[in-house]
Amino acid sequence: QMWLYGLCLVGGGLSLLYALSRWLIPALAQYNGSLALLWNDTILERALDLLTRSSRPQRMLAHVKRHAARGDPQSVIDAIDYFCRHKEWAMNVGDEKGTILDSVVCEVSPGAVLELGTYCGYSTMRIARLLAPGARLITLEFNPANAAVARQVIAWAGLEHKVQLVEGSSGDLIPQMREKFGIDSFDLVFLDHWKDWYLPDTRLMEELGLLHKGSVLLADNVICPGAPEYLAYVRSSPRYDSRYFKSHLEYTYVEDGLEKSVFPGASAGSRP
C-alpha cells in the first residue's frame, strides 16, 4: 500500500507539473510581461536547450527549412510566426508590430538602413524585402551563434544580396560606419538589441553625424521589457519629433509598442 500511495503521489505531482507547464503558466504569460519573459526566455528555453541539445534559433531554423518555401521571404516570415505562436515563443518583433515596421519602412523608403540586433533575421527580412533596388541594409549582431542562424534564414528567404550582416558590438561597429562601410548617414535605424544600449548608441550616432535631417529611429520593446531612459530622451529632446505606436509584446496580449523618432533638427518638438 505504501508503494502504491507513493506512486500516486509521484504521478499526481507529475500531472500537476505537466498541467502547469503546458497550459496554466503559458496562459498566464499571455497577459503578464514579466512572467512571459521569465517563463519563455529563461526557464522554457533553457529546459528545451538541455532536452534537445540545440538552441532555440537552431530549432527555429529547422522549422523554416521544413515549412518555408526557399526564395520566398513572406513564406519564411510566416513560418517563423507560426513557430513562435504555436511551438516556441521568441523575441522577434513579431507579426503585429511587424506591420508597423513595414509601414515605416515603406513611408521612409530608405536608401541606407541600420538594424541594431539581428537575432535570427526576422525583422531583417521584413525590412529587406521592402527595400528599393540599390538600398543598403547593415544589421549588427553581437552573438555569433545567432548571427550564424540569421545568415541561413536570410539566405533561405533569398535576401542575402540585400543584407550585410556584421558580428560585433554596436558600440565598436557604429564608429566604423564611414571608414569601413562607406555610410555617411542612415535614413532609418531600427533598434532591437539590448534595451540599455538604445540611448548610448543613439547618442553615439548623433555625435558621429550618422543621423541627418529626416533620419528616423524606430525602437522596439520600449514598454516591455522597456527602455525608459531612451524614451525619456527622445520624447524630451528638442532634436526629435517622437511618436508612440501602441501594440503588444510579440505573440502575447501584453502591452508593448514601437517608438518612432524623427531627427529633423534642433527646432523639433516632442509629443507622446
Side-chain angles (χ1 to χ4, degrees):
Q1 290 182 349
M2 288 298 295
W3 68 265
L4 184 59
Y5 177 71
L7 186 62
C8 289
L9 281 179
V10 171
L14 290 174
S15 298
L16 178 61
L17 183 61
Y18 179 78
L20 286 171
S21 63
R22 186 68 178 84
W23 292 297
L24 184 58
I25 295 176
L28 292 174
Q30 285 288 305
Y31 298 91
N32 185 292
S34 298
L35 180 58
L37 296 173
L38 175 63
W39 174 250
N40 290 305
D41 229 17
T42 304
I43 299 172
L44 191 59
E45 182 176 12
R46 289 179 182 176
L48 290 172
D49 287 355
L50 184 63
L51 287 171
T52 64
R53 296 186 179 181
S54 65
S55 68
R56 175 175 288 165
Q58 289 170 337
R59 295 188 292 274
M60 186 186 300
L61 174 61
H63 180 84
V64 165
K65 289 183 175 181
R66 285 194 303 267
H67 298 284
R70 193 161 198 164
D72 182 346
Q74 190 59 53
S75 177
V76 178
I77 289 168
D78 291 343
I80 293 177
D81 284 331
Y82 183 89
F83 178 88
C84 294
R85 282 198 178 276
H86 301 287
K87 293 183 177 294
E88 290 185 55
W89 182 91
M91 207 168 195
N92 305 306
V93 69
D95 46 4
E96 185 182 356
K97 286 185 294 181
T99 61
I100 301 171
L101 172 60
D102 292 352
S103 67
V104 172
V105 173
C106 291
E107 175 192 349
V108 175
S109 189
V113 183
L114 176 64
E115 179 184 39
L116 301 177
T118 315
Y119 189 40
C120 297
Y122 177 90
S123 52
T124 312
M125 291 186 295
R126 292 199 80 109
I127 297 168
R129 80 196 205 285
L130 299 173
L131 294 180
R136 294 186 65 185
L137 168 55
I138 297 176
T139 181
L140 310 184
E141 175 53 48
F142 182 75
N143 186 314
N146 290 346
V149 168
R151 285 193 177 90
Q152 295 180 70
V153 170
I154 294 164
W156 196 269
L159 293 170
E160 66 272 26
H161 63 289
K162 289 189 171 185
V163 178
Q164 187 172 3
L165 195 164
V166 186
E167 294 178 31
S169 165
S170 54
D172 294 333
L173 292 168
I174 288 172
Q176 302 179 39
M177 287 298 152
R178 281 200 179 89
E179 182 178 344
K180 189 171 180 178
F181 301 99
I183 298 289
D184 289 326
S185 62
F186 290 100
D187 305 307
L188 175 64
V189 179
F190 183 51
L191 298 94
D192 196 20
H193 55 333
W194 294 106
K195 312 313 163 190
D196 55 358
W197 290 2
Y198 282 17
L199 183 53
D201 284 347
T202 296
R203 285 176 165 163
L204 182 59
M205 287 185 286
E206 291 172 358
E207 292 168 7
L208 295 171
L210 292 171
L211 303 178
H212 59 72
K213 184 176 181 179
S215 290
V216 173
L217 306 182
L218 188 66
D220 189 20
N221 301 124
V222 294
I223 302 299
C224 185
E229 293 182 353
Y230 173 82
L231 276 187
Y233 179 73
V234 295
R235 289 178 178 180
S236 63
S237 172
R239 287 184 153 189
Y240 292 98
D241 184 4
S242 200
R243 176 185 177 189
Y244 174 61
F245 289 86
K246 184 178 179 180
S247 187
H248 296 94
L249 178 68
E250 36 270 38
Y251 315 111
T252 75
Y253 299 108
V254 177
E255 183 185 343
D256 191 24
L258 297 163
E259 187 81 5
K260 176 189 173 188
S261 305
V262 184
F263 185 82
S267 62
S270 178
R271 64 177 188 273

